[in-house]
Amino acid sequence: MLKVVVTAGGTSESIDGVRRITNCSTGTLSSMIAERFVDYGLRTGKDLKLYYIHTDNCKMPSIKHGMEMLKFINATSTYEVKDTVEKLLTEEKIDLFVHCMAVSDFSMHCYLSMEELAGHIMEMNLQSQPTSKEDIIKHFQDLVPQEQKKISSKDDICMFMKRTPKIINMIKKISPETFLIGFKLLSGGSFEDLLASARIQILENDSDFVLANDTKNIGNGKHEAVLIDRHGDILGSFETKDHIAAGLVKMLVKKGVI
């Protein structure tokens, strides 16, 4: 059986009991990629199982036949995605992992009102020993997170965010034999910047393919992207989401991955 994972949507991180921070990823491209895999399974008679790890309110695959090939797994926050990916890679032999999800780089740690922030700074300034930059950083890193209740709207606040785990960096470490496709998104960079960023991702995460794109080339039915292999060579270029989804599956067949 060919086991495939496709991640979809943008993670959402809780700020307080009613507010969350997220990104603009809709999961549309992921849903189209999943649809193409199911179509490939139906056309070839391939015994295929596709795990669709998705966030709340993201686009879901729309298919009439082959639903038995799909298993939907909801994971909304970065840490939920992390736990889901670790469990899946540990318990199943995953052949191919398409990591299209836009994972938050930061999650909420704690917050201070501006008055509280000023009080902390004044307290440090009143200490008998000089306060170093490292002391200040550690002081605020060590703040205890508040209970997840609604933040009052009466005060301006300063939010402290902490870095989240890099999901893509875990995949090959847990399952070295899994073929990994990463996605790299820039905003307003040059084509050379895009290729360089994709090649760095390959080196850092041991990706086999990277789909590189830029927000300036996405919109109004257009989605320009290039597919790069682990050697940094361009395998193909695309103009729309459907073109990407179809071209990705076609290239995986051509390379003998599926």
Side-chain angles (χ1 to χ4, degrees), residues 44-149:
T44 62
K46 178 79 74 173
D47 189 12
L48 184 146
K49 185 73 173 181
L50 190 145
Y51 300 89
Y52 195 72
I53 303 174
H54 63 92
T55 59
D56 290 336
N57 303 317
C58 86
K59 182 74 172 177
M60 305 296 280
S62 177
I63 59 174
K64 294 181 179 179
H65 306 288
M67 281 298 295
E68 69 279 0
M69 297 182 187
L70 287 168
K71 180 175 182 180
F72 299 106
I73 306 173
N74 181 268
T76 297
S77 73
T78 300
Y79 284 93
E80 288 173 348
V81 175
K82 175 181 177 291
D83 291 343
T84 299
V85 169
E86 285 180 334
K87 186 174 187 294
L88 199 53
L89 290 174
T90 301
E91 296 181 355
E92 303 286 348
K93 183 184 181 300
I94 302 300
D95 300 290
L96 172 63
F97 199 113
V98 184
H99 190 40
C100 193
M101 180 182 281
V103 179
S104 301
D105 292 316
F106 302 93
S107 64
M108 180 72 169
H109 176 56
C110 65
Y111 69 92
L112 294 174
S113 69
M114 299 306 288
E115 184 175 345
E116 290 170 330
L117 178 64
H120 279 269
I121 295 172
M122 289 181 63
E123 182 181 335
M124 287 186 285
N125 287 338
L126 291 173
Q127 294 176 2
S128 57
Q129 298 293 326
T131 304
S132 67
K133 180 175 67 175
E134 290 73 20
D135 291 334
I136 296 171
I137 292 172
K138 187 175 187 308
H139 175 85
F140 287 108
Q141 283 179 335
D142 290 344
L143 290 175
V144 178
Q146 297 91 336
E147 293 182 18
Q148 287 290 298
K149 60 183 180 180

Side-chain angles (χ1 to χ4, degrees), residues 166-209:
K166 291 290 184 183
I167 306 297
I168 192 169
N169 187 252
M170 300 163 28
I171 296 168
K172 284 282 197 171
K173 291 178 181 177
I174 299 173
S175 182
E177 300 304 315
T178 297
F179 194 95
L180 173 61
I181 302 177
F183 286 67
K184 188 63 183 180
L185 180 67
L186 290 190
S187 182
S190 67
F191 184 67
E192 290 72 23
D193 291 337
L194 186 63
L195 294 181
S197 296
R199 287 163 180 156
I200 289 171
Q201 190 197 92
I202 289 168
L203 292 174
E204 289 180 343
N205 305 304
D206 198 20
S207 304
D208 295 287
F209 287 174

Side-chain angles (χ1 to χ4, degrees), residues 144-161:
V144 178
Q146 297 91 336
E147 293 182 18
Q148 287 290 298
K149 60 183 180 180
K150 186 176 182 292
I151 299 172
S152 172
S153 59
K154 295 180 180 179
D155 301 310
D156 293 331
I157 64 168
C158 178
M159 293 195 306
F160 293 84
M161 313 292 285

